[in-house]
């Protein structure tokens, strides 16, 4: 709660920078009453990752802190109540609600708004900006019916907006840029050309040197008319032509503002009124507006220092940045445009793989001055540190972008060679020394712990690779060796063991333990190795029954009370009348409870273990196969009826679902997999909530991957759009096998992707672009598994020795468990309460 007698700090604006000011002030002092006014109806959220809102993140996921954080920290918060006037004489602010709030210090964190050029027709319906969550909701709703959309602006935000159009499934997406190249403020002409070719390959249509003269339509946008006389027909237009500082309040209060906008501040972030500060995108420092979040955070730190009588000042900020635009790495650092005679350039260009790298070095060859990276920005962090810390270049500076040849590392390379004062996380002003100290003194060994301790990597995330390298570097220097091992019996990760068992043709758990393990194994490594062996050879899982859990040992899920369930495969949910009759007869004969599952199958519950082979013999004779409901494998591929029956269906979703389920059935994986095929965008099969899902489009199929329902639902992400069936199957083969080979035990595809460096863009590069050169191997490996398919229950039914395993009493094989009890429910049975 506010303390009487403490000075009051009023913050106008509850964006990222306004929130960060409150967080930084609270971390250093509780001697202020803090009052925050927010114009938007929600608390501060992460605009840097705003585009992830289209990838499945909710508005709550993007929050910087929940609403109760403000209350718990004694901050008075007024949401949806914009300040309309600052009375400097009485030191009060007047809100729209009529509230008058006195202040001792005032912090203007009003940010910026989207700049909308004065183009005739800009008021048409379907013309939107890309700025707030409300803007995104409007874009999302409008895109549902749009066949073509354009973005006005080819800078960073424009390309983010273009990605949003692609994510939303707009069939035709255009980018219109006034300048002769994309991202003219960040990268040079050659880098921009490379970026353009990569984006065009992903389906974007780029229009450069285009001056939009009018937006034409009958009440809603229908076309864009350009100064050169050309016309572009579009259904929607997103304007992303830059930002305009929100300086209206400052102007009304008589504070100095710049000719082109922005509240004039000094190095202490004070406006022309020493009790009023401005931070973030509304502040004009040295004639410059800083449009990145990191400088805003630094400004917030300066104001906190001033309030606490410190001496910190803002003297400008490095605007280097690393981005991933629609899956393409783009980075610029230092001075990317400096040219002869002030520098010498070293350029590497690989048109085949879409990679462009340029570094500018001093004329004497001693120092790095800046550069541009497109298509491969892995070296960005170290190159930026080399510029900022004026590190001496190696004898062959080209090693910085080409890598050292001859097996030797470039002189002075590596994060551990940086000085302690090197700024690693610019968003949170965390130095190398602070990170190393946290690792050494607090025993931190992972990224999550370091984020919690120092906040490094919690902003834009660009420093995360370097932070990870520092963790490994310090731990290695301490003599520690951190390794992701399976368990105490196998000193290997699942991925390493997978390769070892494959290379050495290991077929059983005992062979694996003798060759690569110690001891007798445990409940962790036994099923994990069983999964690996199944994923390698697709051999009969029951042959490894000594190392499986109960479900795999008896090829059925054990249920409450000790009985088992029986679930035959019904690919695509399709089942014939004759098969339905057989299921009814079996359920009646063995007194089984029947239920239709969410995966479009019929499950039968309450079977005794000794009845399982007899039940399955009848099912196999009726043409049914094992549904693998008990296995870490493909469960179901749900489908709508598609074009066969539905008047909206674009393609035959049932046939595709059946084809895919029959292709991947029985293939064991690190965790279960579920799938869906929808015949149109109405998505009745819920394909975007599955490990892999397919949605019909007018041009083919869209493939989504790495989603799931369950306790923590996650939307699947688009891997490829408008592909034919042959390409779809090829990408799925690669995706599934890459997952089988690289995921940790019991890791669903969604978690696997979440932990993958580079995320969906990296996965797309591997699976679609074959960036690792693995695709031929992946296709061959899954072909082996498909060729080795067998119905596990058919094998058991036909093998008397295997059938013997399904007994409750070994000495009395025909006797059933007398302790199982059932009760009646709605004309069927249920398990009695334990």
């Amino acid at each position: 709660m506010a303390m009487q007698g403490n000075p009051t700090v009023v913050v106008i604006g509850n964006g990222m920078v306004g929130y960060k000011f409150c967080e930084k002030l609270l971390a250093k002092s509780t001697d202020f009453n803090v009052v925050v006014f927010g114009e938007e109806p929600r608390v501060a959220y992460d605009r840097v990752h705003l585009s992830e809102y289209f990838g499945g993140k909710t508005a709550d996921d993007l929050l910087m802190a929940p609403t109760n954080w403000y209350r718990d920290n004694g901050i008075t918060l007024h949401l949806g109540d914009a300040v309309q006037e600052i009375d400097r004489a009485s030191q009060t602010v007047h809100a729209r609600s009529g509230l008058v709030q006195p202040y001792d210090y005032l912090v203007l964190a009003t940010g910026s708004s989207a700049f909308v050029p004065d183009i005739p027709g800009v008021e048409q319906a379907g013309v939107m900006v890309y700025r707030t969550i409300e803007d995104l909701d409007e874009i999302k709703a409008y895109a549902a019916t749009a066949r073509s959309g354009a973005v006005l602006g080819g800078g960073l935000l424009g390309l983010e907006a273009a990605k949003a159009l692609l994510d939303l499934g707009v069939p035709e997406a255009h980018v219109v840029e006034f300048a002769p190249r994309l991202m003219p403020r960040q990268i040079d002409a050659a880098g921009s050309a490379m970026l353009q070719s990569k984006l065009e390959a992903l389906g974007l249509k780029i229009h450069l040197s285009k001056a939009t003269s009018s937006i034409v339509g009958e009440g809603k946008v229908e076309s864009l008319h350009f100064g050169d006389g050309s016309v572009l027909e579009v259904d929607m237009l997103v304007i992303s032509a830059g930002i305009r500082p929100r300086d209206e309040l400052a102007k009304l209060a008589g504070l100095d503002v710049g000719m082109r906008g922005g509240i004039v501040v000094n190095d202490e972030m004070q406006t022309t009124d020493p009790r009023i500060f401005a931070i973030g995108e509304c502040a004009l420092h040295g004639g410059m507006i800083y449009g990145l979040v990191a400088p805003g955070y630094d400004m917030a730190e300066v104001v906190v220092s001033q309030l606490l009588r410190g001496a910190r000042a803002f003297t400008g900020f490095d605007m280097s940045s690393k981005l991933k635009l629609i899956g393409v790495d783009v980075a610029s650092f230092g001075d990317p445009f400096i040219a002869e005679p002030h520098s010498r350039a070293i350029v590497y260009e690989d048109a085949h793989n879409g990679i462009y790298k340029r570094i500018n070095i001093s004329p004497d060859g001693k120092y790095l001055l800046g550069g541009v990276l497109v298509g491969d920005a892995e070296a960005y962090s170290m190159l930026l540190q080399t510029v900022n810390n004026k590190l001496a270049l190696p004898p062959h500076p080209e090693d910085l972008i080409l890598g050292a040849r001859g097996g030797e590392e470039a002189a002075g390379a590596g994060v551990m060679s940086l000085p302690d004062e090197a700024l690693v996380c610019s968003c949170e002003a965390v130095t190398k020394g602070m990170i190393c100290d946290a690792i050494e003194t607090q025993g931190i060994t992972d990224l999550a712990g370091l984020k919690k301790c120092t906040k490094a990597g919690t902003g834009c995330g660009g420093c995360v690779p370097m932070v990870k390298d520092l963790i490994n570097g310090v731990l290695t220097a301490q003599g520690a060796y951190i390794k992701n091992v399976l368990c105490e019996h196998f000193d290997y990760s699942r991925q390493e063991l997978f390769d070892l068992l494959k290379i050495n043709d290991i077929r059983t758990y005992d062979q694996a333990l003798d060759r690569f393990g110690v001891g007798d194994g445990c409940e962790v490594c036994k099923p994990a190795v069983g999964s690996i062996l199944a994923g390698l050879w697709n051999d009969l899982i029951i042959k490894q029954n000594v190392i499986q859990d109960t479900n795999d040992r008896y090829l059925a899920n054990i249920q409450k009370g000790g009985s088992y369930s029986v679930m035959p495969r019904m690919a695509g949910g399709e089942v014939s009348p004759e098969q339905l009759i057989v299921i009814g007869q079996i359920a009646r004969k063995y007194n089984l409870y029947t239920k239709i599952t969410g995966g479009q199958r019929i499950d039968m519950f309450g079977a005794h273990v000794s009845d399982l082979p007899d039940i399955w013999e009848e099912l196999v004779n009726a043409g049914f196969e094992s549904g693998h409901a008990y296995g870490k494998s493909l469960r179901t591929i749900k489908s709508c009826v598609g074009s066969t029956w539905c008047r909206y269906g674009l393609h035959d979703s049932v046939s595709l679902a059946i084809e895919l389920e029959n292709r991947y059935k029985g293939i064991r994986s690190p965790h279960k997999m579920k799938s869906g095929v929808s015949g149109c965008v109405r998505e009745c099969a819920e394909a975007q909530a599955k490990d892999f899902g397919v949605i019909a489009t007018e041009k083919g199929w869209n493939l989504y991957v790495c989603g799931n329902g369950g306790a923590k639902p996650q939307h699947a992400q688009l891997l490829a759009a408008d592909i034919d069936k042959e390409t779809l199957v090829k990408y799925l083969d690669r995706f599934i096998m890459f997952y089988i080979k690289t995921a940790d035990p019991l890791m669903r595809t969604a978690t696997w992707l979440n932990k993958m460096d580079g995320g969906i863009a990296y996965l797309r590069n591997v699976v679609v672009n074959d960036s690792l050169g693995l695709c031929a191997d992946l296709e061959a490996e899954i072909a082996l598994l498909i060729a080795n398919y067998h119905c596990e229950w058919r094998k058991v039914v036909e093998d008397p020795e295997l059938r013997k395993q399904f007994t409750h009493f070994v000495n009395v094989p025909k006797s059933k468990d007398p302790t199982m009890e059932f009760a009646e429910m709605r004309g069927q049975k249920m398990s009695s309460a334990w």
Side-chain angles (χ1 to χ4, degrees):
M1 294 297 292
M3 299 291 291
Q4 289 289 342
N6 284 347
T8 296
V9 179
V10 172
V11 183
I12 301 179
N14 187 224
M16 295 179 75
V17 174
Y19 162 80
K20 188 58 67 173
F21 166 77
C22 297
E23 183 188 84
K24 288 177 179 288
L25 180 61
L26 288 169
K28 295 188 177 178
S29 174
T30 55
D31 296 335
F32 295 89
N33 299 326
V34 182
V35 181
V36 176
F37 286 88
E39 185 179 47
E40 291 188 58
R42 64 183 86 241
V43 292
Y45 54 89
D46 182 357
R47 291 190 204 275
V48 173
H49 299 100
L50 198 57
S51 62
E52 294 178 19
Y53 187 61
F54 294 123
K57 280 201 172 182
T58 65
D60 285 347
D61 292 334
L62 292 169
L63 293 184
M64 304 292 288
T67 307
N68 60 9
W69 177 87
Y70 298 84
R71 183 184 64 247
D72 295 346
N73 286 284
I75 296 173
T76 303
L77 177 64
H78 302 286
L79 289 179
D81 195 8
V83 171
Q84 295 186 311
E85 183 189 350
I86 300 167
D87 188 334
R88 290 166 57 194
S90 64
Q91 288 187 201
T92 57
V93 298
H94 299 249
R96 183 190 297 133
S97 63
L99 178 67
V100 178
Q101 172 66 51
Y103 67 84
D104 294 292
Y105 300 99
L106 182 61
V107 179
L108 301 177
T110 48
S112 63
S113 58
F115 170 64
V116 179
D118 188 18
I119 302 171
V122 77
E123 75 287 345
Q124 300 266 13
V127 179
M128 292 157 279
V129 296
Y130 185 89
R131 187 72 184 157
T132 67
I133 285 179
E134 284 69 32
D135 293 333
L136 268 58
D137 284 334
E138 188 181 353
I139 292 169
K140 196 173 185 177
Y142 209 90
T145 57
R147 294 183 53 78
S148 62
V151 176
L152 194 60
L156 164 60
L157 284 177
L159 294 178
E160 283 279 355
K163 178 183 187 299
L165 294 184
L166 291 177
D167 288 346
L168 290 170
V170 177
E172 210 173 88
H174 303 263
V175 174
V176 178
E177 169 57 42
F178 177 75
R181 68 173 190 265
L182 296 174
M183 298 188 70
R185 295 183 179 181
Q186 285 90 6
I187 57 178
D188 62 7
S192 181
M194 187 69 74
L195 172 63
Q196 180 179 342
S197 68
K198 289 181 78 75
L199 295 183
E200 286 173 338
L202 294 170
L204 271 184
K205 294 176 173 58
I206 312 292
H207 309 269
L208 302 175
S209 301
K210 291 288 186 183
T212 306
S213 57
S214 63
I215 302 167
V216 177
E218 295 289 334
K220 63 178 182 178
V221 59
E222 295 172 6
S223 62
L224 305 181
H225 289 237
F226 303 118
D228 60 7
S230 58
V231 176
L232 177 63
E233 293 186 358
V234 292
D235 299 325
M236 64 184 294
L237 174 66
V238 180
I239 294 179
S240 182
I243 59 173
R244 174 170 279 165
R246 295 289 300 274
D247 55 11
E248 311 96 291
L249 275 175
K251 275 182 189 172
L252 283 171
L255 301 175
D256 282 358
V257 297
M259 284 182 62
R260 295 189 174 183
I263 307 166
V264 175
V265 293
N266 59 17
D267 288 355
E268 285 71 41
M269 305 314 297
Q270 290 170 312
T271 65
T272 41
D273 183 329
R275 288 188 170 272
I276 303 178
F277 301 86
I279 57 178
E281 292 179 338
C282 67
L284 182 69
H285 178 270
M288 183 168 180
I289 296 288
Y290 289 87
L292 296 178
V293 71
Y297 286 1
D298 198 39
M299 293 174 184
E301 187 75 51
V302 169
V303 176
V304 169
S305 174
Q306 294 301 315
L307 294 179
L308 298 176
R309 302 292 184 266
R312 183 160 180 165
F314 185 82
T315 55
F317 204 87
D318 175 26
M319 294 295 283
S320 301
S321 60
K322 176 189 173 188
L323 315 157
K324 190 174 284 290
L325 297 167
I326 321 181
V328 181
D329 281 333
V330 179
S332 64
F333 54 92
D335 188 339
F337 301 120
I338 190 170
E340 298 277 2
H342 307 292
S343 77
R344 289 184 291 156
I346 299 175
V347 177
Y348 169 74
E349 190 168 359
D350 177 0
H352 175 67
N353 291 307
I355 295 171
Y356 171 83
K357 301 179 184 182
R358 167 182 168 164
I359 55 173
N360 305 321
I361 63 175
S362 59
D364 59 10
K366 290 183 178 180
Y367 299 104
L368 182 63
L369 304 178
V372 172
L373 305 171
V374 176
D376 176 11
E378 188 176 350
Y380 165 78
S381 295
M382 198 61 213
L383 291 171
L384 176 60
Q385 295 295 339
T386 303
V387 172
N388 291 347
N389 296 287
K390 293 183 169 57
L391 301 181
L393 291 176
H396 300 284
E398 67 273 15
D399 290 353
L400 295 175
I401 53 175
L402 297 177
R405 272 80 66 214
E408 296 181 7
E409 187 152 344
V415 294
M416 298 307 290
S417 65
L418 295 175
D420 283 348
E421 61 272 17
L423 191 65
V424 173
C425 177
S426 56
C427 290
E428 295 290 344
V430 183
T431 65
K432 176 206 171 190
M434 294 162 67
I435 292 170
C436 293
D437 181 68
I439 300 166
E440 291 167 351
T441 62
Q442 300 187 42
I444 292 169
T445 60
D446 60 11
L447 179 63
L450 199 63
K451 282 183 173 181
K452 190 173 182 181
C453 173
T454 67
K455 288 195 169 292
T458 59
C460 70
C463 64
V464 166
M466 181 164 280
V467 172
K468 287 181 178 178
D469 288 344
L470 281 170
I471 294 172
N472 291 336
V474 174
L475 293 177
T476 301
Q478 290 176 338
Y481 180 54
I482 310 301
K483 191 177 180 184
N484 176 25
V485 299
L486 203 59
C487 70
E488 64 195 68
H489 303 108
F490 287 93
D491 192 28
Y492 301 98
S493 68
R494 182 189 181 277
Q495 298 90 329
E496 290 169 333
L497 198 57
F498 188 100
D499 288 335
L500 286 170
L501 300 189
K502 178 183 179 183
I503 292 167
N504 291 277
D505 196 33
I506 301 297
R507 301 278 175 158
T508 69
Y509 175 77
D510 289 339
Q511 289 176 339
L513 190 65
D514 291 344
R515 184 76 180 271
F516 301 109
V518 295
D520 298 319
C522 63
E523 70 278 4
V524 173
C525 62
K526 286 180 177 179
V529 171
S531 170
I532 291 171
L533 292 171
L536 278 171
W537 317 117
N538 211 1
D539 200 4
L540 195 62
I541 198 81
I542 200 169
K543 290 182 180 177
Q544 307 283 348
N545 69 343
V546 294
I547 61 168
Q548 297 300 325
D549 60 20
T550 302
N551 290 351
D552 271 321
R553 180 175 297 190
Y554 293 115
L555 304 182
N557 285 319
I558 190 169
Q559 304 295 334
K560 175 182 175 181
S563 65
Y564 287 83
S565 64
V566 174
M567 194 185 300
R569 184 172 302 285
M570 295 179 183
E574 189 174 85
V575 59
S576 70
E578 290 75 17
Q579 290 177 320
L580 283 173
I581 290 168
V582 169
I583 285 176
Q585 290 171 338
I586 290 171
R588 182 182 294 165
K589 179 177 179 180
Y590 294 95
N591 188 25
L592 304 177
Y593 167 84
T594 53
K595 185 182 185 303
I596 296 175
T597 71
Q600 300 180 332
R601 303 194 287 193
I602 297 175
D603 203 349
M604 294 172 272
F605 295 82
H608 290 264
V609 66
S610 55
D611 284 338
L612 288 174
D614 296 333
I615 292 170
W616 273 103
E617 184 171 7
E618 295 188 40
L619 287 170
V620 167
N621 289 338
F624 284 110
E625 294 181 327
S626 168
H628 288 90
Y630 46 82
K632 299 295 182 280
S633 58
L634 178 67
R635 295 292 175 86
T636 66
I637 299 187
K638 188 174 182 177
S639 87
C640 63
V641 294
S643 60
T644 53
W645 291 95
C646 179
R647 66 187 187 277
Y648 298 115
L650 296 174
H651 304 311
D652 185 356
S653 53
V654 181
S655 295
L656 181 61
I658 292 170
E659 182 177 339
L660 293 178
E661 185 162 339
N662 285 328
R663 182 174 183 82
Y664 302 121
K665 62 187 178 184
I667 294 177
R668 296 286 173 147
S669 46
H671 209 298
K672 66 183 177 185
M673 291 189 294
K674 295 182 178 181
S675 179
V677 180
S678 287
C680 74
V681 75
R682 288 165 182 80
E683 253 286 67
C684 293
E686 301 160 341
Q688 291 176 86
K690 303 290 193 284
D691 294 277
F692 61 92
V694 184
I695 302 176
T697 71
E698 290 190 350
K699 297 179 181 178
W701 302 95
N702 282 357
L703 172 59
Y704 294 83
V705 295
C706 299
N708 64 236
K712 292 185 177 180
Q714 180 169 313
H715 273 122
Q717 298 188 46
L718 183 67
L719 185 71
D722 295 326
I723 52 178
D724 58 29
K725 190 177 78 171
E726 183 181 344
T727 305
L728 171 72
V729 171
K730 179 170 66 175
Y731 289 170
L732 272 175
D733 282 356
R734 297 172 179 180
F735 163 74
I736 292 171
M737 201 64 219
F738 189 52
Y739 165 62
I740 291 172
K741 287 170 71 77
T742 62
D744 286 338
L746 301 180
M747 180 180 280
R748 282 292 290 272
T749 57
T751 309
W752 173 64
L753 180 64
N754 291 343
K755 292 178 178 290
M756 186 181 293
D757 285 343
I760 188 67
Y762 172 78
L763 182 60
R764 186 180 293 113
N765 267 334
V766 172
V767 171
V768 176
N769 301 329
D770 198 14
S771 60
L772 300 181
L774 285 176
C775 287
D777 290 338
L778 297 174
E779 291 170 21
E781 287 166 340
I782 201 163
L784 174 68
L785 299 181
I786 293 168
N788 286 348
Y789 167 76
H790 41 253
C791 171
E792 294 175 341
W793 268 113
R794 176 178 287 278
K795 294 285 187 182
V796 170
V797 166
E798 294 173 349
D799 188 329
E801 290 304 311
L802 291 178
R803 289 183 77 137
K804 287 180 182 178
Q805 296 181 20
F806 293 83
T807 55
H808 189 78
F809 300 105
V810 176
N811 56 338
V812 193
K814 295 296 182 182
S815 298
K816 299 177 181 179
D817 183 357
T819 64
M820 282 201 297
E821 297 179 358
F822 301 98
E824 192 273 339
M825 180 183 67
R826 292 188 294 276
Q828 295 199 74
K829 72 175 183 181
M830 61 171 281
S831 178
S832 295
W834 286 8

